[in-house]
Amino acid sequence: MINKNITVCEYDTIMELDSGNKAQFEMLEDFILRSNTEKQSLMRLVNENGRKIIKAENYVGTVQLNDGTVIEILPKTEGKKRGDTAASRKLLYRMLSAFIDVPYEERTAADDSESTFLEFFISVFVRETMKIIKSGLLAGYVSIEENMTAVQGNILFAENIRRNLVHRERLYVRHDVFSPDRAENRLLKSAAAVMTKLSRSHQNRQNLKKILAFLDEVKSSVSYEADFSKCISSRNSKKYTTALNISRIFLKNQGYAPCSGKYVSFALLFPLEEVFRGYITRLARQCRGVSVQSEFSGEYLWNSPERFPVKPDIILRDRSTGKPCCIIDTHWKAVKSERDIPFADMLRIYAYTRLFGCERVVLLYPELCRNITGMPANGCYSADSEEAKVYVRFVPLSAGDKGVAEFLKSI
């Protein structure tokens, strides 16, 4: 029997070619061949003992094939059995919420285990759009040209003669109407229509139909780019931010990894390294007394001539002096012992102590394993001849956003 819902974790096997899934396999293979580049490897084709296998890489998200097959790739989590997807989904929702500025609301474990990655985004869109509708849709004056039986606005004489030569009782005029048919609402309506086709959740589909009914007076967007360019952030339009962020993803049919494939109806994939970095950066901004710089550029390993640019992931600067008090490099990797720490990562983080004159630099990994062996006390590495210290720390992601924020304050 063909499995229409496939949920795996990063680097796990997605599908092995057999007589029952040949069509599915070929569709996904086409997606890989069209989307993988030198800079990104979304999934991997391997041959093991004559068996063709498709495996996940370090991209998380969802791919929906034309035959209705939904493939969901989740991050691995600490201390959970393989196949237990609830914790993986919840972790992904939390990190992505911070990464792309989508509010995350704690829900029950049952809700998290039943809601797929795709349905999560749709449910957030529904929630935010209903809030907008209840608080009142933004409206504005729209210029309309039409035939009328009374003067309203300005008469367009040339067009009136052309259209109404034998209908003297009519007048062709241009006038302004106060209408909700504006760019923000057109994009919401178009996104809701797309989501209705993609969603498999009965509750989400019902709510999307309600949204479309509320937006009945609004036209669908005919040019997404043009309408998004008209969405100017203001005090009145601030409530649209989250819904439009999600609309942009669905209407452009792409995540942060460019995807393509003639057998793919929808794909939304995010590089896990960037998601983790964005999540940590967002929570680091909650630390008091410091300013946060993300992916700082402008320094070089060699100055004469300037060669080999250096870009720390996160720099925490003292607000009073502006000097860096801590530099953090994030890496999504399962570390079980000191031997799992790449030498290149340690060299890079050590170079920051010299280039930035910072006495405290941190190599940050997710806490995906317990009882990490071979590490020094408090993960601290130092040289007798230098004051600078390098720390290897592990983020307790299972502690939730508040726990992670407290952990970052402590480093």
Side-chain angles (χ1 to χ4, degrees):
M1 183 178 176
I2 296 177
N3 185 8
K4 290 284 188 178
N5 293 284
I6 302 171
T7 300
V8 298
C9 286
E10 49 178 317
Y11 299 114
D12 284 349
T13 295
I14 297 174
M15 192 181 301
E16 180 180 340
L17 178 62
D18 59 37
S19 58
N21 66 3
K22 185 178 179 181
Q24 272 182 318
F25 193 95
E26 289 178 349
M27 283 190 282
L28 196 56
E29 184 178 26
D30 175 81
F31 169 74
I32 294 170
L33 295 175
R34 290 173 180 266
S35 298
N36 281 9
T37 64
E38 292 182 359
K39 295 183 178 180
Q40 67 173 27
S41 177
L42 305 182
M43 297 175 188
R44 185 162 46 103
L45 278 166
V46 297
N47 196 313
E48 295 181 358
N49 300 321
R51 299 174 300 146
K52 292 184 72 174
I53 298 172
I54 294 175
K55 290 191 173 184
E57 289 280 55
N58 64 332
Y59 282 78
V60 291
T62 187
V63 176
Q64 187 165 311
L65 303 179
N66 287 347
D67 70 342
T69 300
V70 177
I71 298 155
E72 187 180 22
I73 304 172
L74 304 173
K76 284 185 169 67
T77 52
E78 179 267 331
K80 298 294 179 182
K81 296 180 180 179
R82 187 179 296 275
D84 184 3
T85 60
S88 293
R89 282 199 183 112
K90 189 172 184 179
L91 172 61
L92 181 57
Y93 298 162
R94 281 173 39 215
M95 290 199 299
L96 276 175
S97 295
F99 181 56
I100 59 175
D101 195 20
V102 173
Y104 175 73
E105 293 183 0
E106 288 291 339
R107 299 178 297 168
T108 64
D111 288 337
D112 282 322
S113 64
E114 292 171 2
S115 174
T116 65
F117 176 84
L118 185 64
E119 300 299 344
F120 164 71
F121 272 101
I122 294 175
S123 65
V124 175
F125 173 84
V126 166
R127 184 182 70 224
E128 294 300 312
T129 304
M130 290 304 292
K131 287 181 181 178
I132 294 169
I133 291 171
K134 289 178 181 178
S135 64
L137 293 170
L138 288 181
Y141 284 100
V142 179
S143 184
I144 296 177
E145 295 181 5
E146 61 178 337
N147 264 323
M148 300 190 72
T149 56
V151 176
Q152 188 172 340
N154 299 318
I155 301 174
L156 303 180
F157 289 100
E159 192 66 18
N160 183 59
I161 293 171
R162 191 179 71 82
R163 289 173 176 262
N164 298 322
L165 188 60
V166 295
H167 293 283
R168 300 296 179 88
E169 76 282 2
R170 299 178 188 172
L171 292 169
Y172 194 80
V173 299
R174 179 191 291 131
H175 62 103
D176 294 334
V177 176
F178 196 67
S179 168
D181 186 21
R182 53 184 290 162
E184 294 89 346
N185 298 329
R186 288 196 294 270
L187 291 168
L188 294 186
K189 182 171 184 176
S190 297
V194 171
M195 292 178 195
T196 302
K197 297 176 182 178
L198 294 172
S199 178
R200 293 184 175 183
S201 164
H202 176 72
Q203 185 64 48
N204 277 343
R205 288 174 65 88
Q206 289 297 110
N207 287 330
L208 288 168
K209 288 178 181 178
K210 290 180 183 178
I211 290 171
L212 290 172
F214 279 117
L215 298 175
D216 185 55
E217 295 181 26
V218 179
K219 297 176 182 177
S220 295
S221 176
V222 295
S223 174
Y224 302 148
E225 289 292 344
D227 279 341
F228 274 117
S229 67
K230 295 176 183 176
C231 297
I232 301 172
S233 181
S234 66
R235 181 174 59 85
N236 291 332
S237 64
K238 187 177 180 180
K239 60 184 178 181
Y240 280 79
T241 301
T242 299
L244 288 177
N245 283 348
I246 299 176
S247 298
R248 192 186 303 273
I249 293 172
F250 279 85
L251 294 178
K252 293 190 175 184
N253 199 22
Q254 61 184 22
Y256 282 73
C259 307
S260 62
K262 61 181 179 179
Y263 302 114
V264 173
S265 59
F266 184 80
L268 185 63
L269 293 169
F270 298 86
L272 196 46
E273 281 279 352
E274 292 185 22
V275 172
F276 181 54
R277 184 187 307 126
Y279 176 63
I280 296 300
T281 302
R282 180 75 175 270
L283 294 183
R285 298 188 190 280
Q286 298 180 16
C287 298
R288 293 183 178 179
V290 297
S291 60
V292 178
Q293 281 184 298
S294 177
E295 296 186 88
F296 173 81
S297 61
E299 291 289 339
Y300 293 85
L301 191 60
W302 307 110
N303 291 325
S304 299
E306 291 184 340
R307 294 291 187 271
F308 304 102
V310 182
K311 292 178 64 175
D313 291 338
I314 303 169
I315 300 179
L316 303 182
R317 295 184 182 272
D318 189 294
R319 287 189 183 276
S320 58
T321 65
K323 295 181 178 180
C325 54
C326 182
I327 296 176
I328 302 173
D329 239 26
T330 61
H331 296 276
W332 183 274
K333 179 180 174 62
V335 175
K336 297 180 181 179
S337 71
E338 186 183 65
R339 291 176 296 180
D340 294 328
I341 300 174
F343 186 57
D345 290 354
M346 190 62 77
L347 279 178
R348 186 184 305 107
I349 201 78
Y350 173 71
Y352 297 158
T353 65
R354 297 295 190 92
L355 291 170
F356 293 88
C358 185
E359 296 181 1
R360 187 180 184 86
V361 291
V362 180
L363 195 56
L364 201 61
Y365 295 100
E367 190 178 71
L368 301 179
C369 305
R370 295 185 180 182
N371 303 319
I372 298 167
T373 59
M375 298 290 296
N378 201 30
C380 178
Y381 296 82
S382 62
D384 294 336
S385 60
E386 298 181 13
E387 294 183 0
K389 291 180 172 60
V390 172
Y391 291 85
V392 177
R393 303 296 299 273
F394 300 91
V395 184
L397 296 172
S398 58
D401 291 352
K402 290 184 179 179
V404 173
E406 289 299 318
F407 168 81
L408 293 175
K409 292 175 184 177
S410 70
I411 66 174

PDB file of all heavy atoms in Angstrom, residues 333-346 365 372-376 381 392 394:
ATOM      1  N   LYS A 333      24.235  20.367  15.135  1.00  0.00           N
ATOM      2  CA  LYS A 333      24.945  19.099  15.006  1.00  0.00           C
ATOM      3  C   LYS A 333      24.757  18.298  16.282  1.00  0.00           C
ATOM      4  O   LYS A 333      24.795  18.864  17.382  1.00  0.00           O
ATOM      5  CB  LYS A 333      26.440  19.355  14.757  1.00  0.00           C
ATOM      6  CG  LYS A 333      27.289  18.093  14.632  1.00  0.00           C
ATOM      7  CD  LYS A 333      28.740  18.460  14.393  1.00  0.00           C
ATOM      8  CE  LYS A 333      29.629  17.215  14.410  1.00  0.00           C
ATOM      9  NZ  LYS A 333      29.285  16.248  13.350  1.00  0.00           N
ATOM     10  N   ALA A 334      24.543  17.007  16.138  1.00  0.00           N
ATOM     11  CA  ALA A 334      24.419  16.128  17.300  1.00  0.00           C
ATOM     12  C   ALA A 334      25.817  15.788  17.811  1.00  0.00           C
ATOM     13  O   ALA A 334      26.582  15.097  17.143  1.00  0.00           O
ATOM     14  CB  ALA A 334      23.664  14.859  16.925  1.00  0.00           C
ATOM     15  N   VAL A 335      26.159  16.314  18.979  1.00  0.00           N
ATOM     16  CA  VAL A 335      27.475  16.077  19.581  1.00  0.00           C
ATOM     17  C   VAL A 335      27.307  15.120  20.753  1.00  0.00           C
ATOM     18  O   VAL A 335      26.627  15.425  21.728  1.00  0.00           O
ATOM     19  CB  VAL A 335      28.113  17.409  20.047  1.00  0.00           C
ATOM     20  CG1 VAL A 335      29.417  17.157  20.776  1.00  0.00           C
ATOM     21  CG2 VAL A 335      28.334  18.333  18.856  1.00  0.00           C
ATOM     22  N   LYS A 336      27.953  13.952  20.652  1.00  0.00           N
ATOM     23  CA  LYS A 336      27.890  12.959  21.720  1.00  0.00           C
ATOM     24  C   LYS A 336      29.147  12.969  22.580  1.00  0.00           C
ATOM     25  O   LYS A 336      29.119  12.550  23.727  1.00  0.00           O
ATOM     26  CB  LYS A 336      27.687  11.570  21.118  1.00  0.00           C
ATOM     27  CG  LYS A 336      26.373  11.406  20.359  1.00  0.00           C
ATOM     28  CD  LYS A 336      26.234   9.999  19.792  1.00  0.00           C
ATOM     29  CE  LYS A 336      24.931   9.857  19.026  1.00  0.00           C
ATOM     30  NZ  LYS A 336      24.772   8.497  18.440  1.00  0.00           N
ATOM     31  N   SER A 337      30.253  13.406  21.993  1.00  0.00           N
ATOM     32  CA  SER A 337      31.516  13.489  22.724  1.00  0.00           C
ATOM     33  C   SER A 337      32.358  14.597  22.132  1.00  0.00           C
ATOM     34  O   SER A 337      32.031  15.169  21.081  1.00  0.00           O
ATOM     35  CB  SER A 337      32.267  12.155  22.655  1.00  0.00           C
ATOM     36  OG  SER A 337      32.762  11.942  21.345  1.00  0.00           O
ATOM     37  N   GLU A 338      33.457  14.919  22.794  1.00  0.00           N
ATOM     38  CA  GLU A 338      34.347  15.970  22.315  1.00  0.00           C
ATOM     39  C   GLU A 338      34.866  15.676  20.912  1.00  0.00           C
ATOM     40  O   GLU A 338      35.114  16.599  20.132  1.00  0.00           O
ATOM     41  CB  GLU A 338      35.520  16.096  23.290  1.00  0.00           C
ATOM     42  CG  GLU A 338      36.461  17.253  22.987  1.00  0.00           C
ATOM     43  CD  GLU A 338      37.640  17.277  23.938  1.00  0.00           C
ATOM     44  OE1 GLU A 338      38.458  16.321  23.904  1.00  0.00           O
ATOM     45  OE2 GLU A 338      37.740  18.240  24.717  1.00  0.00           O
ATOM     46  N   ARG A 339      34.986  14.411  20.553  1.00  0.00           N
ATOM     47  CA  ARG A 339      35.489  14.037  19.231  1.00  0.00           C
ATOM     48  C   ARG A 339      34.542  14.434  18.111  1.00  0.00           C
ATOM     49  O   ARG A 339      34.948  14.507  16.947  1.00  0.00           O
ATOM     50  CB  ARG A 339      35.751  12.524  19.181  1.00  0.00           C
ATOM     51  CG  ARG A 339      36.929  12.079  20.037  1.00  0.00           C
ATOM     52  CD  ARG A 339      37.076  10.583  20.027  1.00  0.00           C
ATOM     53  NE  ARG A 339      35.926   9.932  20.629  1.00  0.00           N
ATOM     54  CZ  ARG A 339      35.789   8.606  20.748  1.00  0.00           C
ATOM     55  NH1 ARG A 339      36.714   7.805  20.264  1.00  0.00           N
ATOM     56  NH2 ARG A 339      34.715   8.103  21.320  1.00  0.00           N
ATOM     57  N   ASP A 340      33.277  14.695  18.433  1.00  0.00           N
ATOM     58  CA  ASP A 340      32.302  15.095  17.405  1.00  0.00           C
ATOM     59  C   ASP A 340      32.388  16.578  17.047  1.00  0.00           C
ATOM     60  O   ASP A 340      31.728  17.031  16.103  1.00  0.00           O
ATOM     61  CB  ASP A 340      30.873  14.785  17.882  1.00  0.00           C
ATOM     62  CG  ASP A 340      30.617  13.295  18.015  1.00  0.00           C
ATOM     63  OD1 ASP A 340      31.207  12.531  17.235  1.00  0.00           O
ATOM     64  OD2 ASP A 340      29.839  12.897  18.902  1.00  0.00           O
ATOM     65  N   ILE A 341      33.175  17.339  17.789  1.00  0.00           N
ATOM     66  CA  ILE A 341      33.311  18.763  17.508  1.00  0.00           C
ATOM     67  C   ILE A 341      34.336  18.943  16.390  1.00  0.00           C
ATOM     68  O   ILE A 341      35.512  18.594  16.554  1.00  0.00           O
ATOM     69  CB  ILE A 341      33.763  19.541  18.762  1.00  0.00           C
ATOM     70  CG1 ILE A 341      32.724  19.377  19.879  1.00  0.00           C
ATOM     71  CG2 ILE A 341      33.955  21.019  18.432  1.00  0.00           C
ATOM     72  CD1 ILE A 341      33.153  19.987  21.202  1.00  0.00           C
ATOM     73  N   PRO A 342      33.945  19.462  15.233  1.00  0.00           N
ATOM     74  CA  PRO A 342      34.891  19.635  14.127  1.00  0.00           C
ATOM     75  C   PRO A 342      36.028  20.588  14.499  1.00  0.00           C
ATOM     76  O   PRO A 342      35.803  21.628  15.129  1.00  0.00           O
ATOM     77  CB  PRO A 342      34.030  20.227  13.006  1.00  0.00           C
ATOM     78  CG  PRO A 342      32.623  19.838  13.353  1.00  0.00           C
ATOM     79  CD  PRO A 342      32.577  19.853  14.852  1.00  0.00           C
ATOM     80  N   PHE A 343      37.235  20.222  14.134  1.00  0.00           N
ATOM     81  CA  PHE A 343      38.407  21.041  14.418  1.00  0.00           C
ATOM     82  C   PHE A 343      38.269  22.420  13.769  1.00  0.00           C
ATOM     83  O   PHE A 343      38.684  23.437  14.336  1.00  0.00           O
ATOM     84  CB  PHE A 343      39.666  20.330  13.913  1.00  0.00           C
ATOM     85  CG  PHE A 343      40.945  21.019  14.292  1.00  0.00           C
ATOM     86  CD1 PHE A 343      41.261  21.278  15.619  1.00  0.00           C
ATOM     87  CD2 PHE A 343      41.832  21.431  13.308  1.00  0.00           C
ATOM     88  CE1 PHE A 343      42.441  21.923  15.965  1.00  0.00           C
ATOM     89  CE2 PHE A 343      43.015  22.080  13.647  1.00  0.00           C
ATOM     90  CZ  PHE A 343      43.320  22.325  14.982  1.00  0.00           C
ATOM     91  N   ALA A 344      37.655  22.467  12.574  1.00  0.00           N
ATOM     92  CA  ALA A 344      37.472  23.739  11.868  1.00  0.00           C
ATOM     93  C   ALA A 344      36.595  24.694  12.675  1.00  0.00           C
ATOM     94  O   ALA A 344      36.831  25.910  12.691  1.00  0.00           O
ATOM     95  CB  ALA A 344      36.855  23.491  10.500  1.00  0.00           C
ATOM     96  N   ASP A 345      35.556  24.157  13.354  1.00  0.00           N
ATOM     97  CA  ASP A 345      34.699  25.003  14.192  1.00  0.00           C
ATOM     98  C   ASP A 345      35.499  25.614  15.332  1.00  0.00           C
ATOM     99  O   ASP A 345      35.345  26.798  15.659  1.00  0.00           O
ATOM    100  CB  ASP A 345      33.542  24.183  14.768  1.00  0.00           C
ATOM    101  CG  ASP A 345      32.530  23.788  13.713  1.00  0.00           C
ATOM    102  OD1 ASP A 345      32.663  24.237  12.561  1.00  0.00           O
ATOM    103  OD2 ASP A 345      31.598  23.020  14.038  1.00  0.00           O
ATOM    104  N   MET A 346      36.365  24.810  15.954  1.00  0.00           N
ATOM    105  CA  MET A 346      37.165  25.298  17.077  1.00  0.00           C
ATOM    106  C   MET A 346      38.183  26.346  16.613  1.00  0.00           C
ATOM    107  O   MET A 346      38.397  27.362  17.287  1.00  0.00           O
ATOM    108  CB  MET A 346      37.871  24.129  17.753  1.00  0.00           C
ATOM    109  CG  MET A 346      38.540  24.489  19.070  1.00  0.00           C
ATOM    110  SD  MET A 346      37.382  25.078  20.341  1.00  0.00           S
ATOM    111  CE  MET A 346      36.639  23.527  20.867  1.00  0.00           C
ATOM    112  N   TYR A 365      25.913  24.454  20.332  1.00  0.00           N
ATOM    113  CA  TYR A 365      25.254  23.331  19.679  1.00  0.00           C
ATOM    114  C   TYR A 365      23.920  23.051  20.374  1.00  0.00           C
ATOM    115  O   TYR A 365      23.742  23.377  21.556  1.00  0.00           O
ATOM    116  CB  TYR A 365      26.115  22.064  19.768  1.00  0.00           C
ATOM    117  CG  TYR A 365      27.423  22.131  19.030  1.00  0.00           C
ATOM    118  CD1 TYR A 365      28.609  22.401  19.708  1.00  0.00           C
ATOM    119  CD2 TYR A 365      27.491  21.913  17.657  1.00  0.00           C
ATOM    120  CE1 TYR A 365      29.824  22.462  19.042  1.00  0.00           C
ATOM    121  CE2 TYR A 365      28.705  21.962  16.977  1.00  0.00           C
ATOM    122  CZ  TYR A 365      29.857  22.238  17.675  1.00  0.00           C
ATOM    123  OH  TYR A 365      31.053  22.293  17.007  1.00  0.00           O
ATOM    124  N   ILE A 372      27.235  13.902  27.495  1.00  0.00           N
ATOM    125  CA  ILE A 372      28.277  14.147  26.500  1.00  0.00           C
ATOM    126  C   ILE A 372      29.635  13.887  27.152  1.00  0.00           C
ATOM    127  O   ILE A 372      29.955  14.456  28.204  1.00  0.00           O
ATOM    128  CB  ILE A 372      28.188  15.579  25.968  1.00  0.00           C
ATOM    129  CG1 ILE A 372      26.833  15.776  25.275  1.00  0.00           C
ATOM    130  CG2 ILE A 372      29.315  15.880  24.975  1.00  0.00           C
ATOM    131  CD1 ILE A 372      26.490  17.203  24.976  1.00  0.00           C
ATOM    132  N   THR A 373      30.436  13.044  26.552  1.00  0.00           N
ATOM    133  CA  THR A 373      31.680  12.586  27.167  1.00  0.00           C
ATOM    134  C   THR A 373      32.888  13.365  26.662  1.00  0.00           C
ATOM    135  O   THR A 373      32.883  13.937  25.570  1.00  0.00           O
ATOM    136  CB  THR A 373      31.895  11.089  26.871  1.00  0.00           C
ATOM    137  OG1 THR A 373      31.952  10.903  25.441  1.00  0.00           O
ATOM    138  CG2 THR A 373      30.759  10.259  27.425  1.00  0.00           C
ATOM    139  N   GLY A 374      33.948  13.374  27.508  1.00  0.00           N
ATOM    140  CA  GLY A 374      35.230  13.953  27.114  1.00  0.00           C
ATOM    141  C   GLY A 374      35.320  15.448  27.196  1.00  0.00           C
ATOM    142  O   GLY A 374      36.340  16.033  26.798  1.00  0.00           O
ATOM    143  N   MET A 375      34.300  16.118  27.720  1.00  0.00           N
ATOM    144  CA  MET A 375      34.300  17.578  27.765  1.00  0.00           C
ATOM    145  C   MET A 375      34.930  18.059  29.070  1.00  0.00           C
ATOM    146  O   MET A 375      34.744  17.452  30.131  1.00  0.00           O
ATOM    147  CB  MET A 375      32.869  18.114  27.672  1.00  0.00           C
ATOM    148  CG  MET A 375      32.153  17.749  26.375  1.00  0.00           C
ATOM    149  SD  MET A 375      32.828  18.607  24.948  1.00  0.00           S
ATOM    150  CE  MET A 375      32.455  20.288  25.366  1.00  0.00           C
ATOM    151  N   PRO A 376      35.677  19.191  29.036  1.00  0.00           N
ATOM    152  CA  PRO A 376      36.209  19.759  30.282  1.00  0.00           C
ATOM    153  C   PRO A 376      35.091  20.367  31.118  1.00  0.00           C
ATOM    154  O   PRO A 376      33.960  20.538  30.644  1.00  0.00           O
ATOM    155  CB  PRO A 376      37.180  20.834  29.786  1.00  0.00           C
ATOM    156  CG  PRO A 376      36.658  21.218  28.441  1.00  0.00           C
ATOM    157  CD  PRO A 376      36.073  19.961  27.866  1.00  0.00           C
ATOM    158  N   TYR A 381      37.625  25.987  27.408  1.00  0.00           N
ATOM    159  CA  TYR A 381      38.977  25.741  26.907  1.00  0.00           C
ATOM    160  C   TYR A 381      39.757  27.047  27.009  1.00  0.00           C
ATOM    161  O   TYR A 381      39.270  28.111  26.610  1.00  0.00           O
ATOM    162  CB  TYR A 381      38.944  25.290  25.444  1.00  0.00           C
ATOM    163  CG  TYR A 381      38.255  23.964  25.222  1.00  0.00           C
ATOM    164  CD1 TYR A 381      36.866  23.886  25.128  1.00  0.00           C
ATOM    165  CD2 TYR A 381      38.985  22.791  25.106  1.00  0.00           C
ATOM    166  CE1 TYR A 381      36.233  22.672  24.915  1.00  0.00           C
ATOM    167  CE2 TYR A 381      38.360  21.561  24.895  1.00  0.00           C
ATOM    168  CZ  TYR A 381      36.982  21.518  24.800  1.00  0.00           C
ATOM    169  OH  TYR A 381      36.364  20.313  24.597  1.00  0.00           O
ATOM    170  N   VAL A 392      32.352  25.639  24.872  1.00  0.00           N
ATOM    171  CA  VAL A 392      31.455  24.817  24.070  1.00  0.00           C
ATOM    172  C   VAL A 392      30.236  24.550  24.929  1.00  0.00           C
ATOM    173  O   VAL A 392      30.326  23.921  25.984  1.00  0.00           O
ATOM    174  CB  VAL A 392      32.116  23.489  23.638  1.00  0.00           C
ATOM    175  CG1 VAL A 392      31.120  22.635  22.860  1.00  0.00           C
ATOM    176  CG2 VAL A 392      33.351  23.756  22.799  1.00  0.00           C
ATOM    177  N   PHE A 394      25.792  23.731  25.151  1.00  0.00           N
ATOM    178  CA  PHE A 394      24.705  22.999  24.499  1.00  0.00           C
ATOM    179  C   PHE A 394      23.363  23.563  24.952  1.00  0.00           C
ATOM    180  O   PHE A 394      23.073  23.615  26.153  1.00  0.00           O
ATOM    181  CB  PHE A 394      24.800  21.500  24.826  1.00  0.00           C
ATOM    182  CG  PHE A 394      26.092  20.898  24.373  1.00  0.00           C
ATOM    183  CD1 PHE A 394      27.200  20.851  25.234  1.00  0.00           C
ATOM    184  CD2 PHE A 394      26.233  20.399  23.092  1.00  0.00           C
ATOM    185  CE1 PHE A 394      28.406  20.310  24.815  1.00  0.00           C
ATOM    186  CE2 PHE A 394      27.435  19.859  22.662  1.00  0.00           C
ATOM    187  CZ  PHE A 394      28.529  19.816  23.521  1.00  0.00           C
TER     188      PHE A 394
END
